[in-house]
Amino acid sequence: MSRWRTAQLSEIEPRDRWLPIRDTLGVGAFGINAWLGREAGDWVIPEHSEEPTGHEELYLVLEGHATFTVDGEEIEAPQGTLVFVADPESRRGAAATEAGTVVLSIGSKPGEAYSVQQWERGWEYNQPAMQLYRQQRYAEAADVLRKGVAAMPENANLHYNLACFAALSGAEEDAFEHLRRSIELSPPFREAALADSDFDPVRDHPRFAEVVGE
Amino acid sequence: MSAARVRIARLDEIPIADDGRVPSRIVRHHLGIQAFGINAWLSRGAGESVINDHDEADTGDEELYLVLNGHVVFTIDGEEVDAPEGTLVFVEPDAKRSAVAKDEATTILAVGAPAGRPYKTSGWELWSYLRPKFEAGDYETVIDELERLIEEHPQYVALRYNLACAESLAGRNDDAIRHLTELIEIEPEAARFAREDSDFDAIRDDPRFSAIAGEPEPGGAAP
């Protein structure tokens, strides 16, 4: 294999709403992907924290215009804006304010060697599941991820997402079991679950408190 | 505790460091990023270098380049790669790479880190400002500036290393030995570079030098 590889950003096949730059080029030292907001009003960076990974993340608006929300603060980000979120606990997301918005995201954890994020490893399951989730077809989304956790039983991210979809589709026992497993594999998912509205349908259930250790 | 949880900048407002070869916007230092390196390299004009000919064998960094605007031609391991705006070029550490601008205004984003181990900030970005003075032999100015910068950024080992180099070249042997000793305590790997660096020829025969930096490899092979 040659010691270099090249690609055109515009020719990378999107996976759902993101361009898999890291995987396409075989980058092993940091995470790097681009996110797409096809229409004005679409989200570009889904709201999340980096608690499970401990990553610093840098976003660069390559095309269009995005509005970031970081810990409740709105940031206008036209093309050429860099938004650096140093604290993994910060909740961040971005919406496109122009059609055709593209945001580059780069991440890794200070002081640690990079390893590929679990959501990216599980993308073959996460992608169709997220599409169903956005159409509020929660039971079908959960079914996709049941296959995912069968194939990748150590992937905490797939267990966590399955727990969300199970909670939303009324499969309470499944929700608690997979949330418990995700926290067992990756303890920061506990904090994530406490802040995640996907668990609202089961939040008052005594087993939820038991699983998150409240 | 970092100053702010979120830091925002426009790329075209980030300060430019000019090492006398290729100017660059020092994104990583400006934003205080710790987990990976990132800079934006600018061409002086068509036909000018945008990425200096180099490899990353010493750092072990993988590097990913993205042509943000303009048009360049990369040469990687002897092979030419035409790279218009939107081209991504990923280069493994040992490959020799350089890039020359085809358009007047060209910007290349460069992201780097080593695979399989943590990224370490060195502060080489700030050295860029001083490199032309160093090359011109104005060691006393470089030493004064570096002492000021090291006080401000004690974590940046590249500044400490170059301070010892400048002191050695300026004939300030005791200062060079003292600063090299301090550096090797913080970053033992610096000894390997010092052993092979002609900037230290003035202090190489000092017994204190071999005590801190060790002996050169048999046969004088470069690291």
Side-chain angles (χ1 to χ4, degrees):
Chain A
M1 192 159 91
S2 85
R3 299 192 291 189
W4 55 276
R5 298 175 276 287
T6 179
Q8 285 300 316
L9 191 60
S10 58
E11 287 168 13
I12 293 177
E13 186 71 28
R15 289 175 185 167
D16 193 15
R17 295 203 199 173
W18 56 286
L19 302 176
I21 296 175
R22 195 204 59 74
D23 194 24
T24 300
L25 291 167
V27 179
F30 45 87
I32 181 163
N33 289 307
W35 295 78
L36 311 172
R38 294 197 174 93
E39 305 297 333
D42 282 357
W43 58 260
V44 201
I45 303 293
E47 196 204 320
H48 71 290
S49 83
E50 286 293 333
E51 236 177 327
T53 64
H55 281 188
E56 292 182 343
E57 279 208 323
L58 175 67
Y59 306 96
L60 168 60
V61 181
L62 292 177
E63 302 284 344
H65 188 136
T67 303
F68 280 77
T69 305
V70 184
D71 292 331
E73 184 195 345
E74 283 203 355
I75 299 155
E76 282 309 317
Q79 186 183 13
T81 304
L82 292 148
V83 177
F84 175 54
V85 184
D87 187 340
E89 289 182 23
S90 290
R91 285 202 76 78
R92 84 295 303 268
T97 43
E98 274 177 22
T101 293
V102 182
V103 176
L104 189 69
S105 79
I106 308 166
S108 192
K109 182 174 180 178
E112 268 190 28
Y114 174 78
S115 62
V116 179
Q117 280 182 271
Q118 292 183 332
W119 73 265
E120 198 178 326
R121 285 203 211 116
W123 74 274
E124 281 170 278
Y125 301 99
N126 273 327
Q127 172 178 313
M130 288 305 290
Q131 280 166 343
L132 292 162
Y133 168 76
R134 286 199 296 270
Q135 295 163 31
Q136 301 179 8
R137 292 158 67 184
Y138 303 126
E140 290 163 85
D143 281 343
V144 170
L145 291 192
R146 285 187 181 96
K147 294 193 191 94
V149 297
M152 306 174 93
E154 304 295 309
N155 189 313
N157 172 268
L158 289 176
H159 282 285
Y160 182 86
N161 287 346
L162 173 51
C164 291
F165 305 153
L168 290 163
S169 61
E172 288 185 346
E173 284 311 307
D174 258 15
F176 299 133
E177 176 49 28
H178 290 285
L179 180 57
R180 186 195 61 72
R181 183 75 180 126
S182 74
I183 294 169
E184 186 175 273
L185 291 165
S186 175
F189 275 118
R190 181 186 161 276
E191 289 293 323
L194 288 169
D196 193 331
S197 60
D198 287 346
F199 292 108
D200 285 352
V202 299
R203 196 170 303 281
D204 296 331
H205 196 291
R207 282 225 40 212
F208 182 78
E210 192 186 305
V211 169
V212 298
E214 283 285 282
Chain B
M1 180 72 203
S2 56
R5 289 150 73 99
V6 57
R7 288 159 234 160
I8 300 142
R10 313 265 175 238
L11 184 59
D12 56 10
E13 290 171 9
I14 289 180
I16 295 174
D18 192 337
D19 66 356
R21 298 176 295 179
V22 180
S24 69
R25 297 195 186 277
I26 51 172
V27 177
R28 190 207 63 74
H29 172 76
H30 184 77
L31 292 170
I33 296 167
Q34 302 292 316
F36 50 87
I38 180 165
N39 266 15
W41 296 90
L42 312 168
S43 74
R44 293 182 197 280
E48 298 285 333
S49 182
V50 200
I51 302 293
N52 284 315
D53 190 27
H54 74 291
D55 62 47
E56 291 289 341
D58 279 345
T59 62
D61 282 358
E62 294 185 348
E63 285 206 317
L64 179 65
Y65 304 97
L66 169 58
V67 181
L68 288 179
N69 56 54
H71 192 148
V72 303
V73 177
F74 278 88
T75 303
I76 313 167
D77 280 344
E79 203 169 327
E80 286 200 353
V81 181
D82 190 55
E85 185 180 310
T87 305
L88 292 151
V89 178
F90 174 69
V91 186
E92 292 179 9
D94 291 341
K96 290 285 277 182
R97 83 298 302 264
S98 61
V100 172
K102 283 179 85 173
D103 283 1
E104 272 317 301
T106 294
T107 308
I108 300 182
L109 192 71
V111 187
R117 56 192 169 82
Y119 176 79
K120 283 190 217 166
T121 63
S122 75
W124 66 268
E125 297 95 333
L126 297 181
W127 170 246
S128 300
Y129 291 102
L130 295 172
R131 192 176 172 281
K133 288 191 182 112
F134 182 86
E135 294 291 317
D138 187 1
Y139 302 124
E140 292 300 331
T141 306
V142 169
I143 290 166
D144 288 349
E145 285 286 306
L146 282 174
E147 282 178 336
R148 187 182 58 77
L149 284 170
I150 291 165
E151 201 159 306
E152 211 176 318
H153 308 286
Q155 78 281 18
Y156 281 164
V157 291
L159 302 181
R160 291 172 178 270
Y161 183 87
N162 289 329
L163 175 61
C165 289
E167 286 165 338
S168 170
L169 290 163
R172 289 164 60 163
N173 293 7
D174 289 349
D175 291 340
I177 295 275
R178 179 165 53 89
H179 285 129
L180 196 57
T181 307
E182 282 174 15
L183 168 62
I184 290 170
E185 275 170 25
I186 305 170
E187 179 50 87
E189 226 184 312
R192 182 165 62 89
F193 296 100
R195 279 200 293 275
E196 308 294 336
D197 193 331
S198 61
D199 289 352
F200 294 116
D201 284 352
I203 58 171
R204 193 168 309 282
D205 296 332
D206 190 312
R208 292 173 296 174
F209 181 82
S210 43
I212 52 170
E215 300 293 335
E217 305 291 319

